[in-house]
């Protein structure tokens, strides 16, 4: 059973930031979080990107910046046989505690602040991606300068906010933070399955009744509302991007009762699944 735990980043070479290339193994990682900012470029691959409480499709060229302590993971579609990604992780103080407070770095600072909700960049093949790859080949001061140059270029480019909200009340204590991330990791991995309240409560080391009260207090949503949100998000994306039947999509998204799927879909999205699909085909 996979659980979200704080990721301790390796730093055996005493580098001020990490640059890593990944294959399919990166997409097997569970829902996790760490104190560092993370820039991720998907060179090849498609599937679902989970950031905080948001789930979206990703494909080749997906380029995002995720702020500290925001849980995230990427899951490949079953049909995607191979994938490649470049990941850069750096702390806010990797060049000194007050480095990004300097007036010349205002745009970078604003971008980093906005990354708490996740940012998605639309970039050309060059020069941004050329500089991204060059960081992995560089050594010494040149390596740091190239990262700063990349951050500067990205801060000048249009970017959109993913809109990922915190999974928990920001006033929650560390124990709540750890516990809710464990629970959310389980939801991310199993929302398409028949999730048992007893199983999830057991993961949180609470009775089912205590768990329901705890989950609502920390997330301000009920447990089932959260599960349904993920299921509807998945279903709505499948309606747009596939030609699968509504019944097949409902089942693949975790809804075993088709009539209930229609009811909750229309209640939450304001139209039927077929009308929703049709609205994107015009």
């Amino acid at each position: 059973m996979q659980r979200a735990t704080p990721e301790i980043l390796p730093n055996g070479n005493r580098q001020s930031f990490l640059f890593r290339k990944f294959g399919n193994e990166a997409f097997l990682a569970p829902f996790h979080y760490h104190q560092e900012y993370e820039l991720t470029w998907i060179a090849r691959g498609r599937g679902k990107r989970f950031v905080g409480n948001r789930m979206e499709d990703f494909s080749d060229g997906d380029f995002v910046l995720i702020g500290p302590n925001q849980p995230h993971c990427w899951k490949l579609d079953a049909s995607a046989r191979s994938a490649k990604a470049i990941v850069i992780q750096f702390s806010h103080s990797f060049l000194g505690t007050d480095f990004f407070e300097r007036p010349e770095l205002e745009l970078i600072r604003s971008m980093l602040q906005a990354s708490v909700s996740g940012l998605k960049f639309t970039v050309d093949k060059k020069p941004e991606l050329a500089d991204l790859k060059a960081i992995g080949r560089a050594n010494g001061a040149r390596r740091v300068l190239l990262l700063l140059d990349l951050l500067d270029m990205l801060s000048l480019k249009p970017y959109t906010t993913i809109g990922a909200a915190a999974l928990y009340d920001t006033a929650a204590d560390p124990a709540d933070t750890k516990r809710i991330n464990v629970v959310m990791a389980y939801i991310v991995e199993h929302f398409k399955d028949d999730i048992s309240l007893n199983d999830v409560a057991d993961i949180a080391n609470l009775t089912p009744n205590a768990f329901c009260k705890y989950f609502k207090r920390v997330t301000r949503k009920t447990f089932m509302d959260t599960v349904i949100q993920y299921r509807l998000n998945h279903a709505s994306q499948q309606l747009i991007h596939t030609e699968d039947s509504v019944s097949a999509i409902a089942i693949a998204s975790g809804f075993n009762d088709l009539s209930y799927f229609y009811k909750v879909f229309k209640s939450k999205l304001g139209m039927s699944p077929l009308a929703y699909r049709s609205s994107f085909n015009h």
Side-chain angles (χ1 to χ4, degrees):
M1 184 180 298
Q2 295 178 320
R3 299 187 176 193
T5 57
E7 181 183 15
I8 307 301
L9 302 185
N11 199 17
N13 295 327
R14 298 186 62 81
Q15 298 172 326
S16 58
F17 65 91
L18 292 178
F19 177 99
R20 294 188 282 180
K21 294 182 179 180
F22 291 101
N24 285 33
E25 70 276 9
F27 302 88
L28 298 175
F31 205 48
H32 65 282
Y33 61 99
H34 42 71
Q35 295 180 352
E36 292 76 14
Y37 295 95
E38 179 172 305
L39 267 171
T40 298
W41 177 58
I42 305 298
R44 182 170 68 241
R46 66 179 183 278
K48 302 296 181 187
R49 174 181 7 95
F50 296 84
V51 180
N53 66 345
R54 292 291 297 242
M55 176 181 67
E56 295 179 338
D57 287 335
F58 76 85
S59 57
D60 297 0
D62 194 54
F63 197 6
V64 301
L65 173 63
I66 300 171
N69 297 314
Q70 181 68 276
H72 56 279
C73 68
W74 280 252
K75 297 297 180 183
L76 284 178
D77 281 347
S79 59
R81 296 187 177 181
S82 64
K84 291 184 179 180
I86 290 177
V87 176
I88 296 177
Q89 294 163 318
F90 59 95
S91 70
H92 192 78
S93 59
F94 84 104
L95 291 174
T97 304
D98 299 323
F99 182 79
F100 288 111
E101 299 305 313
R102 289 162 174 75
E104 294 87 352
L105 301 177
E106 180 180 358
L107 289 178
I108 295 179
R109 182 171 65 252
S110 296
M111 178 182 70
L112 294 178
Q113 290 171 343
S115 72
V116 67
S117 297
L119 302 178
K120 181 176 181 180
F121 301 96
T122 301
V123 298
D124 299 324
K125 290 286 184 180
K126 47 187 182 181
E128 294 88 352
L129 299 183
D131 273 13
L132 174 65
K133 296 176 182 178
I135 294 171
R137 300 189 297 267
N139 295 302
R142 178 65 178 160
R143 186 172 181 271
V144 175
L145 292 173
L146 282 172
L147 176 56
L148 285 176
D149 194 36
L150 176 63
L151 293 175
D152 182 47
M153 283 194 293
L154 291 175
S155 72
L156 296 171
K157 290 282 185 178
Y159 53 78
T160 57
T161 300
I162 293 173
L167 294 173
Y168 46 81
D169 188 335
T170 54
D173 64 32
D176 276 339
T177 299
K178 183 177 180 179
R179 177 179 277 167
I180 199 63
N181 277 304
V182 168
V183 172
M184 292 305 301
Y186 186 84
I187 294 175
V188 166
E189 297 293 337
H190 298 285
F191 71 88
K192 291 182 282 186
D193 304 328
D194 186 14
I195 293 182
S196 163
L197 175 61
N198 288 336
D199 288 343
V200 182
D202 185 58
I203 291 170
N205 293 316
L206 296 169
T207 66
N209 186 53
F211 170 76
C212 290
K213 293 179 179 178
Y214 154 78
F215 193 90
K216 181 67 177 292
R217 173 177 62 82
V218 176
T219 68
R220 299 178 184 175
K221 293 183 178 180
T222 69
F223 169 68
M224 282 312 302
D225 279 345
T226 300
V227 173
I228 289 171
Q229 178 184 340
Y230 276 104
R231 288 175 174 172
L232 287 177
N233 197 332
H234 183 269
S236 62
Q237 292 174 22
Q238 295 301 104
L239 286 166
I240 297 171
H241 299 298
T242 76
E243 296 181 357
D244 295 346
S245 68
V246 172
S247 59
I249 288 173
I251 293 171
S253 300
F255 292 98
N256 296 322
D257 185 328
L258 189 58
S259 61
Y260 176 71
F261 170 66
Y262 272 93
K263 179 181 179 180
V264 73
F265 193 98
K266 187 170 184 179
S267 173
K268 299 292 185 181
L269 280 80
M271 61 182 75
S272 71
L274 287 175
Y276 185 85
R277 169 177 274 173
S278 178
S279 69
F280 283 90
N281 289 335
H282 291 297

